[in-house]
Amino acid sequence: MNKAERLLKLLTLLQSRRRAITAASLAEKLNVSERTIYRDIQALELSGVPISGEAGVGYMLQAGSTLAPLMFNESELEALILGVRMVQAWGDSGLAESADQALDKIKAILPDRQHYLHSIAEETLIVPDFEQGNSTQYSQELRQAIKQREKLDIHYQDEKQATSERTIWPLGLVYWGKVWTLVSWCELRDDYRSFRIDRIQKLAGANAHFEASDEISLKNYLSRFKEH
């Protein structure tokens, strides 16, 4: 890539981080030498970008600093619009509304690309919105419980129509291309369990909270799943 493209990517990396990132990490991500990163950081600083940090420690944008929105290339716009369309089609109503708002913000900072954005969203990348029944029921409540680490009491019916009552620790939601599942730590089984959202018959807060850990987390569950 040329220098202008590299500086833009470097600035994007800095904007996406809340903590300092080392020159070595930046060099690896951009496939250049650390010396090049030092020169590029200096070039950004000379152009007025508020960067703090130093060689050997790391770099980050200064707290409270704001920069003009970055421009997107066509491939990046296509990826963003496709993501928005997927959320609108397969997410719950709350996520769909947030996706609409995100799309409005993209359009607001790219007024000169309105025709192209419309073409992508309405004619080029279409995500069918088929009837999904109860696949997103309780989704908003579950997302809230995951954020607040609130234990839940659920009544669940499995594929054999057997029902059970569980107290669970909701860890994350996973979409498998057809249905949403809730990954949880089940107190009854003292182990991970996943529950299809459309098979949850009843849900209520258990008036208690849990503490996630490295051993009990969505990341840990997915790592075990991949091993099998």
Side-chain angles (χ1 to χ4, degrees), residues 17-18 50-52 60-66:
R17 300 297 182 107
R18 294 184 178 181
I51 298 174
S52 61
M60 63 184 297
L61 293 181
Q62 293 178 10
S65 62
T66 57

Side-chain angles (χ1 to χ4, degrees), residues 156-209:
Y156 188 74
Q157 184 178 70
D158 65 20
E159 59 184 359
K160 297 180 180 179
Q161 309 302 309
T163 59
S164 62
E165 296 181 18
R166 316 284 186 99
T167 296
I168 61 171
W169 304 7
L171 301 174
L173 294 168
V174 180
Y175 185 65
W176 297 100
K178 183 179 180 181
V179 296
W180 282 94
T181 61
L182 171 68
V183 175
S184 306
W185 183 264
C186 177
E187 291 190 353
L188 177 65
R189 303 302 184 189
D190 194 30
D191 200 356
Y192 290 110
R193 287 293 185 273
S194 61
F195 303 95
R196 279 181 49 164
I197 293 181
D198 58 343
R199 291 177 178 165
I200 295 177
Q201 305 296 302
K202 187 178 179 181
L203 177 152
N207 296 317
H209 291 80

Side-chain angles (χ1 to χ4, degrees), residues 20-23 38 53-59:
I21 180 171
T22 65
Y38 296 141
E54 58 185 72
V57 177
Y59 300 96

Side-chain angles (χ1 to χ4, degrees), residues 10-222:
L10 176 57
L11 185 54
T12 300
L13 285 170
L14 292 172
Q15 282 186 297
S16 67
R17 300 297 182 107
R18 294 184 178 181
R19 297 181 179 179
I21 180 171
T22 65
S25 296
L26 291 169
E28 182 179 358
K29 292 180 180 296
L30 296 178
N31 196 29
V32 296
S33 68
E34 289 185 44
R35 185 181 295 275
T36 297
I37 294 297
Y38 296 141
R39 289 199 297 263
D40 287 349
I41 290 291
Q42 185 179 38
L44 289 174
E45 290 176 327
L46 290 174
S47 67
V49 177
I51 298 174
S52 61
E54 58 185 72
V57 177
Y59 300 96
M60 63 184 297
L61 293 181
Q62 293 178 10
S65 62
T66 57
L67 297 174
L70 297 178
M71 298 301 291
F72 301 102
N73 63 36
E74 291 188 356
S75 295
E76 291 167 343
L77 282 174
E78 289 176 2
L80 288 171
I81 299 302
L82 179 59
V84 167
R85 284 294 183 241
M86 286 180 172
V87 172
Q88 291 171 328
W90 302 331
D92 58 61
S93 58
L95 285 176
E97 182 179 354
S98 295
D100 286 336
Q101 294 171 355
L103 184 56
D104 287 341
K105 289 180 180 179
I106 293 173
K107 292 178 178 178
I109 64 173
L110 299 172
D112 59 330
R113 308 292 292 281
Q114 291 292 325
H115 178 74
Y116 180 67
L117 287 169
H118 177 79
S119 175
I120 298 174
E122 305 297 336
E123 303 170 11
T124 306
L125 297 174
I126 305 300
V127 180
D129 183 12
F130 297 126
E131 177 62 42
Q132 298 192 74
N134 295 326
S135 64
T136 61
Q137 72 168 344
Y138 299 124
S139 179
Q140 295 186 62
E141 295 94 325
L142 291 171
R143 288 192 287 109
Q144 188 68 16
I146 291 167
K147 292 176 183 177
Q148 296 181 349
R149 296 187 175 181
E150 179 186 7
K151 293 183 182 181
L152 297 172
D153 291 327
I154 66 170
H155 290 222
Y156 188 74
Q157 184 178 70
D158 65 20
E159 59 184 359
K160 297 180 180 179
Q161 309 302 309
T163 59
S164 62
E165 296 181 18
R166 316 284 186 99
T167 296
I168 61 171
W169 304 7
L171 301 174
L173 294 168
V174 180
Y175 185 65
W176 297 100
K178 183 179 180 181
V179 296
W180 282 94
T181 61
L182 171 68
V183 175
S184 306
W185 183 264
C186 177
E187 291 190 353
L188 177 65
R189 303 302 184 189
D190 194 30
D191 200 356
Y192 290 110
R193 287 293 185 273
S194 61
F195 303 95
R196 279 181 49 164
I197 293 181
D198 58 343
R199 291 177 178 165
I200 295 177
Q201 305 296 302
K202 187 178 179 181
L203 177 152
N207 296 317
H209 291 80
F210 65 90
E211 289 296 330
S213 64
D214 290 340
E215 291 73 30
I216 302 179
S217 66
L218 179 61
K219 182 178 180 180
N220 181 267
Y221 170 83
L222 293 175

